[in-house]
Amino acid sequence: MNRIQEFSADINFPKFTGLTIVSKDSIKFDNSIIIIQSTDSEIIKIFELGLVFPDLVFGASIMGDKYEFKRTFSADTLSISNVSELHFPNQRPDTKSFSFLLWQKNIANPSLYIFELTNETANSKTTIKTFIEKAKVTAFGFCSILI
């Protein structure tokens, strides 16, 4: 997570502002779709609210030692599973870290992504639902391919 935070420093991650259509296990973002499996419904709100969306996943690429966010404007379908909260010791109550697996066509093993949300008004008693509703992405990145 420290490496992802370093690479994400000074980046203002956007929130998706286009058309979002939510159905049972998928969310359509303009021309792209994310299919989400094996994830708690409260955590899926991260995607429904446009905090994490296809262009963020595809557009955050490593350029030297920094991330450069680029809009891709491409239609594609992402299969994501196992979105879960990570619990780190000494994590402040205004930040929460999460991970997910991205499954790609023609690749047997998933890619692991890690991201951090920050809610400046949160405290230790804030529910996950309230935390997510007022959060913004403050760190995001590819971690590894799981073998």
Side-chain angles (χ1 to χ4, degrees), residues 5 13 21-22 28 34 39-41 59-60 62 64 67-68 71 76 84 92 94 104-105 108 114 128 130 136 143 145:
Q5 289 170 330
F13 290 99
I21 301 171
V22 178
K28 184 175 182 184
I34 292 181
T39 300
D40 180 86
S41 62
I62 296 176
Y67 282 116
E68 180 181 342
R71 288 204 163 267
D76 205 350
S84 58
R92 299 182 332 259
D94 66 343
Q104 298 178 1
K105 298 174 192 168
I114 297 177
I128 187 74
T130 302
K136 63 182 179 179
C143 187
I145 294 178

Side-chain angles (χ1 to χ4, degrees), residues 81-84 86 99-104 107-114 142-147:
S81 69
N82 302 85
V83 184
S84 58
L86 304 172
S99 67
F100 66 84
L101 300 177
L102 173 65
W103 299 86
Q104 298 178 1
I107 299 176
N109 298 348
S111 299
L112 175 65
Y113 283 79
I114 297 177
F142 166 79
C143 187
S144 68
I145 294 178
L146 300 183
I147 297 177

Side-chain angles (χ1 to χ4, degrees), residues 52-83:
V52 175
F53 54 98
D55 280 346
L56 181 66
V57 176
F58 283 131
S61 61
I62 296 176
M63 298 297 294
D65 63 348
K66 292 285 180 195
Y67 282 116
E68 180 181 342
F69 180 83
K70 293 181 181 178
R71 288 204 163 267
T72 59
F73 297 107
S74 63
D76 205 350
T77 300
L78 302 178
S79 294
I80 291 177
S81 69
N82 302 85
V83 184

Side-chain angles (χ1 to χ4, degrees), residues 4 10 14 17 23 30-31 43 73 108-110 113 117 120:
I4 300 296
D10 302 323
T17 57
S23 63
D30 286 338
N31 296 324
I43 293 178
F73 297 107
N109 298 348
Y113 283 79
L117 298 181
E120 295 173 355

Side-chain angles (χ1 to χ4, degrees), residues 85-141:
E85 184 178 354
L86 304 172
H87 299 280
F88 296 115
N90 303 321
Q91 191 165 22
R92 299 182 332 259
D94 66 343
T95 62
K96 291 190 182 293
S97 300
F98 297 86
S99 67
F100 66 84
L101 300 177
L102 173 65
W103 299 86
Q104 298 178 1
K105 298 174 192 168
N106 305 324
I107 299 176
N109 298 348
S111 299
L112 175 65
Y113 283 79
I114 297 177
F115 63 97
E116 177 184 79
L117 298 181
T118 300
N119 176 335
E120 295 173 355
T121 62
N123 59 47
S124 60
K125 296 181 183 188
T126 304
T127 66
I128 187 74
K129 180 182 180 207
T130 302
F131 185 94
I132 291 169
E133 287 172 351
K134 297 180 180 179
K136 63 182 179 179
V137 176
T138 50
F140 185 91

